[in-house]
Amino acid sequence: MRIFKLLILFFVFISCAAKAKQDNFVRHNVAKGETIYQIAIKYQVTPYDIYRLNPDAKKGIEEGTILLIPKASSVAITKKETKNIIHEVKAKETLYSIAREYEVSVPQLQEWNAELLKDGLKKGQEIIVGKEEVAVAENYLEVQNTKNTVEIFSHKVLPQETLYGISKKYNIAIEDIIAQNPDAKDGLKEGSILTLKRKTEKTITTVGSTNSNANLYTVKPRQTLFSLTRELNISSEELFALNPELKDGLKEGMVLKLPTTISTVVTNTTSPESSIKVIPLDDFPKKDTINFIVKPVGNLLASANKKKKKNLVLLLPFNLSKVDANTALTKQALKENPLLNLSLEFYSGAMMAIDSARVLGLPVQVKILDVESSRTSSNIAKLISDNDFSSVDAVIGPFQNSHAEKTAEFLLKDSIPVISPLSKEVGLKLPNLYNAVPSEDYMIKKLFDHFKANNGNVVAVVSNKKGSTKEYLESRYQDIKFPGYTAKGSVDTDQLKIFLQKNKKNYVIIESETTAQILNVTNFLKKLKPEYDIQMVVLKLYDTLDFEEIPMTNLTELNMLFPSIRKEIETDSDKIFASKYKKENGTLPSSAAARGFDVTFDTILRICQNEGYAKSNQTFKTEYFENTFDYVNDNGNIINKGVYLMYYDTDYSIKRVIE
């Protein structure tokens, strides 16, 4: 009887608890084509709130799926924000057809786009076609503003140049040129100076808060901890200190607390003024010296010859002949042209290096040539034929390895160094071709040299799908041990434990893209930590490691070790460079921009040495913002072996192994 009463009380308790829980959420039946973002707006919650109650929704939702949606009152949504819906005008579209498509009226379109439509509707315009209210969490504010600025600059009229040509070159209307230069309406005179005005547009997204003591940021899809810290220019230690829940993984839609000074800026990138330009360093405007760049590894600045003039050529694949002169280089246009985007980012870093060299008094003249290329062809031969390379001291580019090899072959007779700045491929053995990106062989070699130096015991958990990786490791490192798999296909953890040694440092390589396998092995290794000295190792970082099912603590407690061609921002010098780049370009330097700076600045310093570029590479190793340059002759290939070993520390920071 007592048991029966207890059962009744238990069921009453469960029913009450279920009722209380049910009161905090509603059920939503997913309609055809509906997205998590649309549903979040409808119920005034964030995507993260929905994912929290419906973890499977992260894999996608279908029509008819039932979702549990927390009530807005339970997630402290107290305000709404109005955002514009944007439409890019296509050929032959009219205000009437666009109004019908978005179910709005023509007068509404005219009201929302009054300034833009003064001269009529034009192809390629981005117009507002609607307004939507977005739910915003309490104390959270994300405002996006478009700031228009006017750039004023001069242009010297070249022989046979026309108003039409100048208007196309700078994307400025002919009437605007004449308005600034009334004499131009009677024709252009060679050598005359025109004053030009160009409008530039900058979109600023400020992630902030209505509370002065808080600053919040919503995690975007596919963001990783590494990309987030670089985007926000914040250390992982600061991020984890403010957001302890990150130890359980980074999740899309998660709202993070940030220091009050954080903001992110996105700008429209502009192209170089022309496909060919000669830049004497004295022509640059005076700026602050960046003398913090040179590291004591090899102080090439101290030994640079500042009296003898040097010449540098950059071969960058802008492919400007393939870019429509009437098309503005918007973010969307750059997404559709990744090579141009990469070229512009590299170019922005290179220009900072060139300016730094001028400030430091290095007598270098730089010529930039536009490489028109595809995967199988290029205009390299024509560029070299049409331009005088007899006095050139070094060439940077092109990006594609086969084109860099072709350039080096053409310039071999004059022994002109050609630096391949971005390609990981290693091909022809040419004495004047320098591969600036370390090969994957050197990345792995760096790891195993570290294992050997520490008398380590190496065990590798390699998934069955990565047979080629296992063969590669077996052929080069005979002492490595590979645990097998059980009949069910899981790693044989008993054998893995047998392979570990108590009197040595155990480096356990995990080469798998299966989340469950990584999770099981790391959980198992964590349990063995009290008995064994274990460090987890990966041959390179990959997306699966950032998957939220793998807690960050699994990687930090096992001090995950990995090779990298880039180091983390470590010194005040690095922070100053990042800050200066952001000030000039509106965003933090990407990997391509950082490499553009490092490769260009290193090349300038080396050609200014009395012994020249080639001899300098044999003598000195250098280190800059992100990259180290330590060239070696590897059986005829000149390769940079500047690889860093990085590891996740228990304070959630990424640190460099000090060797």
Side-chain angles (χ1 to χ4, degrees), residues 59-164:
K59 301 173 184 176
I61 55 174
E62 298 177 355
E63 181 182 0
T65 303
I66 302 297
L67 297 176
L68 298 180
I69 312 295
K71 290 187 176 178
S73 58
S74 68
V75 293
I77 301 292
T78 61
K79 58 184 290 188
K80 289 184 178 181
E81 188 179 292
T82 301
K83 288 194 175 181
N84 296 328
I85 301 171
I86 303 298
H87 171 81
E88 184 176 337
V89 179
K90 302 178 184 67
K92 298 183 180 180
E93 278 190 319
T94 65
L95 284 178
Y96 178 72
S97 66
I98 295 170
R100 288 195 57 173
E101 180 181 347
Y102 289 92
E103 297 181 355
V104 296
S105 67
V106 171
Q108 281 179 307
L109 292 179
Q110 290 171 330
E111 179 187 346
W112 293 331
N113 304 277
E115 288 295 319
L116 200 61
L117 296 176
K118 278 183 177 179
D119 299 322
L121 194 67
K122 295 185 176 72
K123 177 188 174 184
Q125 281 181 323
E126 291 186 346
I127 65 171
I128 300 171
V129 293
K131 306 276 185 176
E132 63 178 350
E133 287 189 325
V134 180
V136 181
E138 184 180 18
N139 294 330
Y140 175 62
L141 187 66
E142 181 172 284
V143 183
Q144 194 171 72
N145 295 312
T146 300
K147 181 181 179 182
N148 292 311
T149 58
V150 177
E151 176 189 8
I152 300 176
F153 58 101
S154 299
H155 172 81
K156 186 176 182 180
V157 178
L158 301 176
Q160 299 182 341
E161 203 165 22
T162 65
L163 280 172
Y164 177 80

Side-chain angles (χ1 to χ4, degrees), residues 211-264:
N211 180 341
S212 60
N213 295 320
N215 192 20
L216 307 176
Y217 178 86
T218 302
V219 177
K220 302 180 185 71
R222 300 186 64 80
Q223 271 191 316
T224 65
L225 182 64
F226 184 74
S227 67
L228 191 63
T229 55
R230 297 197 70 80
E231 177 185 334
L232 300 175
N233 196 21
I234 183 176
S235 69
S236 51
E237 297 101 309
E238 290 176 285
L239 205 55
F240 275 91
L242 291 169
N243 306 275
E245 66 274 15
L246 279 174
K247 68 180 183 294
D248 298 321
L250 192 68
K251 302 174 179 66
E252 177 187 344
M254 179 183 282
V255 178
L256 302 178
K257 296 176 185 176
L258 303 177
T260 55
T261 56
I262 292 294
S263 66
T264 59

Side-chain angles (χ1 to χ4, degrees), residues 307-576:
K307 295 181 180 179
K308 188 175 181 181
K309 180 182 172 183
K310 297 292 181 179
N311 293 285
L312 173 66
V313 173
L314 271 64
L315 298 176
L316 303 183
F318 292 120
N319 281 305
L320 291 182
S321 64
K322 299 178 182 178
V323 178
D324 185 351
N326 295 315
T327 302
L329 290 179
T330 61
K331 287 166 62 179
Q332 184 59 36
L334 291 175
K335 280 183 181 179
E336 294 169 0
N337 194 337
L339 181 59
L340 176 58
N341 191 22
L342 182 69
S343 300
L344 290 170
E345 288 183 352
F346 186 93
Y347 171 83
S348 67
M351 293 304 284
M352 276 196 70
I354 293 165
D355 177 62
S356 302
R358 183 205 58 76
V359 171
L360 294 168
L362 300 173
V364 177
Q365 181 166 288
V366 182
K367 178 181 276 191
I368 300 175
L369 301 180
D370 177 23
V371 176
E372 296 177 8
S373 64
S374 65
R375 188 170 292 276
T376 56
S377 64
S378 75
N379 66 337
I380 295 296
K382 187 175 188 307
L383 285 178
I384 293 176
S385 173
D386 291 350
N387 293 273
D388 182 9
F389 279 76
S390 61
S391 60
V392 171
D393 296 283
V395 174
I396 297 174
F399 292 169
Q400 190 173 317
N401 187 60
S402 59
H403 298 331
E405 289 175 343
K406 183 65 67 177
T407 303
E409 284 185 299
F410 281 126
L411 301 178
L412 180 59
K413 65 181 186 303
D414 296 318
S415 300
I416 298 174
V418 175
I419 299 92
S420 177
L422 295 179
S423 177
K424 292 181 180 179
E425 297 177 25
V426 177
L428 294 180
K429 302 177 189 297
L430 297 166
N432 64 327
L433 179 61
Y434 295 79
N435 297 279
V437 180
S439 65
E440 291 191 3
D441 280 351
Y442 268 99
M443 305 276 277
I444 297 175
K445 185 178 185 301
K446 183 80 171 182
L447 278 173
F448 278 85
D449 286 347
H450 178 71
F451 302 156
K452 185 177 180 180
N454 289 277
N455 192 29
N457 173 48
V458 184
V459 181
V461 177
V462 182
S463 70
N464 290 325
K465 294 181 180 180
K466 292 185 171 285
S468 59
T469 302
K470 184 177 179 181
E471 290 176 10
Y472 175 90
L473 294 174
E474 283 179 321
S475 66
R476 287 164 174 77
Y477 308 103
Q478 285 75 28
D479 296 334
I480 195 169
K481 305 174 185 67
F482 297 91
Y485 287 82
T486 65
K488 294 182 178 180
S490 59
V491 176
D492 188 339
T493 51
D494 290 336
Q495 190 178 36
L496 172 57
K497 183 176 180 180
I498 291 171
F499 286 154
L500 300 178
Q501 298 181 23
K502 290 190 176 182
N503 60 339
K504 282 189 174 184
K505 178 90 170 181
N506 295 278
Y507 296 101
V508 180
I509 299 171
I510 300 180
E511 184 66 9
S512 171
E513 292 184 0
T514 305
T515 305
Q517 190 174 88
I518 297 172
L519 184 61
N520 291 338
V521 173
T522 53
N523 282 338
F524 179 72
L525 294 176
K526 278 172 61 180
K527 291 178 182 177
L528 296 179
K529 279 280 284 182
E531 292 182 68
Y532 299 90
D533 184 2
I534 300 172
Q535 185 166 19
M536 174 186 170
V537 180
V538 291
L539 302 181
K540 61 181 177 181
L541 291 180
Y542 45 89
D543 290 343
T544 313
L545 297 168
D546 277 310
F547 198 77
E548 62 190 59
E549 288 184 16
I550 302 172
M552 182 61 65
T553 50
N554 283 29
L555 310 182
T556 57
E557 290 183 24
L558 293 170
N559 295 130
M560 187 179 76
L561 180 71
F562 61 95
S564 174
I565 63 173
R566 303 162 54 192
K567 66 178 175 66
E568 286 283 283
I569 293 177
E570 297 173 332
T571 66
D572 290 339
S573 302
D574 298 331
K575 292 176 182 176
I576 293 171

